[in-house]
């Protein structure tokens, strides 16, 4: 049986956090159980569908072996935080929370207009880069920007911010098209700097994605993530159907996006 996403209480004292983020965000601590130390976390106030994206996206990435910081549903009363967008139950409102890793995002590693080749090389050496690229293609994450990959050097890499999965936080079920070539931002700022052997790694990962997805119980993962608790029954079914039907086209779409200059 899959482990359910933990629900934790936000402790008093959280402070607003701004680092280019457009959502209301705080740095705070979570109470995760008697006798356990509090968890230092980033807390985001999100509407239900975007919260569902975050939870399901993080759960799917974890199921594929990608590095995702521990994540929680954080419950806060109005006396602790002014949560406005999140769903509520009784006196509590719910937020998305991830444990702080102390690792900065890629965008913090330089100043200028062009990503340094040393960072491209570091990502190209990361064993998970192909799976990450194929994952974003599969889940239609349209915003894997330089702020939502944490990079501390070497293999100290984490993927965060999954709210832009399923084409965006305000997706409409009838508009989800499994065959569509949705934007993959890694294809814009990462792939153009790769040579043919490194590009081959991404393409091979895309080719393997249908097999990996077939081995996943998407409904069980969605239930355990608690994403289905935030969606209508129809939207939940459409989300799962979209991902199941999209898996077979990942090799085609991913290979085309990974080699924008016709390397293949």
């Amino acid at each position: 049986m899959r482990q359910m996403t933990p629900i934790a209480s936000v402790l008093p004292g959280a402070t607003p956090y701004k680092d280019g983020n457009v959502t209301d965000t705080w740095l705070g601590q979570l109470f995760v159980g008697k006798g356990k130390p509090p968890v230092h976390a980033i807390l985001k106030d999100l509407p239900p569908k975007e919260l569902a994206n975050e939870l399901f996206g993080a759960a799917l990435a974890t199921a594929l072996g990608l590095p995702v910081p521990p994540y929680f549903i954080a419950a806060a009363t109005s006396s602790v935080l002014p949560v406005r967008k999140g769903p509520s139950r009784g006196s509590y409102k719910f937020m998305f929370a991830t444990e702080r890793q102390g690792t900065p995002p890629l965008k913090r590693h330089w100043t200028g207009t062009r990503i340094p080749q040393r960072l491209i090389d570091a990502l190209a050496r990361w064993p998970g880069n192909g799976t990450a690229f194929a994952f974003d293609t599969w889940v239609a994450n349209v915003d894997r920007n330089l702020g939502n990959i944490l990079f501390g050097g070497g293999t100290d890499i984490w993927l965060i911010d999954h709210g832009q999965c399923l084409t965006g936080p305000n997706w409409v079920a009838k508009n989800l098209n499994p065959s569509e070539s949705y934007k993959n931002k890694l294809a814009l700022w990462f792939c153009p700097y790769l040579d043919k052997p490194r590009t081959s790694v991404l393409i091979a990962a895309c080719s393997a994605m249908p097999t990996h997805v077939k081995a996943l119980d998407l409904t069980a993962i969605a239930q355990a993530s608690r994403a289905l608790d935030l969606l209508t029954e129809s939207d939940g079914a459409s989300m799962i159907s979209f991902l199941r039907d999209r898996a077979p086209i990942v090799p085609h779409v991913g290979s085309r996006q990974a080699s924008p200059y016709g390397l293949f």
Side-chain angles (χ1 to χ4, degrees):
M1 184 175 181
R2 293 186 176 274
Q3 182 178 357
M4 300 291 286
T5 299
I7 298 177
S9 298
V10 181
L11 296 172
T15 56
Y17 175 65
K18 278 290 183 185
D19 187 25
N21 45 293
V22 296
T23 59
D24 293 332
T25 307
W26 292 267
L27 300 180
Q29 293 185 320
L30 300 176
F31 174 77
V32 294
K34 187 176 181 180
K36 297 180 180 180
V39 170
H40 295 265
I42 297 175
L43 314 167
K44 296 199 295 185
D45 181 13
L46 305 173
K49 188 168 282 187
E50 188 171 0
L51 177 55
N53 277 12
E54 285 276 15
L55 292 167
F56 194 33
L60 290 171
T62 301
L64 291 172
L66 289 166
V68 174
Y71 56 96
F72 307 83
I73 293 178
T77 61
S78 59
S79 62
V80 172
L81 276 181
V83 181
R84 298 180 297 109
K85 300 175 184 176
S88 61
R89 180 179 297 173
S91 60
Y92 287 95
K93 288 217 167 188
F94 298 99
M95 314 168 69
F96 183 72
T98 53
E99 183 175 339
R100 295 183 67 188
Q101 297 303 306
T103 301
L106 273 172
K107 67 180 182 180
R108 294 268 193 88
H109 287 271
W110 81 91
T111 56
T113 58
R114 180 184 172 116
I115 182 169
Q117 187 63 39
R118 64 180 178 82
L119 293 181
I120 293 292
D121 291 341
L123 284 178
R125 290 191 297 267
W126 174 44
N129 63 46
T131 303
F133 181 84
F135 170 72
D136 279 355
T137 300
W138 174 45
V139 301
N141 184 341
V142 297
D143 194 30
R144 180 70 63 199
N145 61 59
L146 300 168
N148 56 39
I149 298 179
L150 305 182
F151 178 69
T155 58
D156 183 16
I157 294 174
W158 303 85
L159 302 183
I160 61 171
D161 293 349
H162 309 283
Q164 297 288 332
C165 291
L166 298 166
T167 76
N170 300 310
W171 56 269
V172 177
K174 68 179 182 180
N175 294 333
L176 293 177
N177 181 356
S179 300
E180 182 71 28
S181 183
Y182 294 108
K183 176 175 60 178
N184 184 336
K185 278 198 173 178
L186 285 173
L188 301 179
W189 64 262
F190 181 52
C191 294
Y193 300 97
L194 301 180
D195 57 19
K196 190 169 182 177
R198 287 173 168 175
T199 302
S200 297
V201 172
L202 307 189
I203 292 175
C206 290
S207 296
M209 187 56 66
T211 300
H212 293 318
V213 173
K214 192 174 182 180
L216 300 178
D217 186 335
L218 298 182
T219 300
I221 293 172
Q223 289 172 337
S225 74
R226 302 184 193 269
L228 295 183
D229 296 339
L230 301 165
L231 301 172
T232 65
E233 184 176 351
S234 175
D235 275 351
S238 296
M239 174 181 71
I240 293 168
S241 177
F242 169 75
L243 292 173
R244 185 179 293 119
D245 294 344
R246 185 166 173 77
I249 68 97
V250 170
H252 173 68
V253 172
S255 62
R256 189 173 65 248
Q257 292 182 330
S259 50
Y261 296 122
L263 292 174
F264 293 83

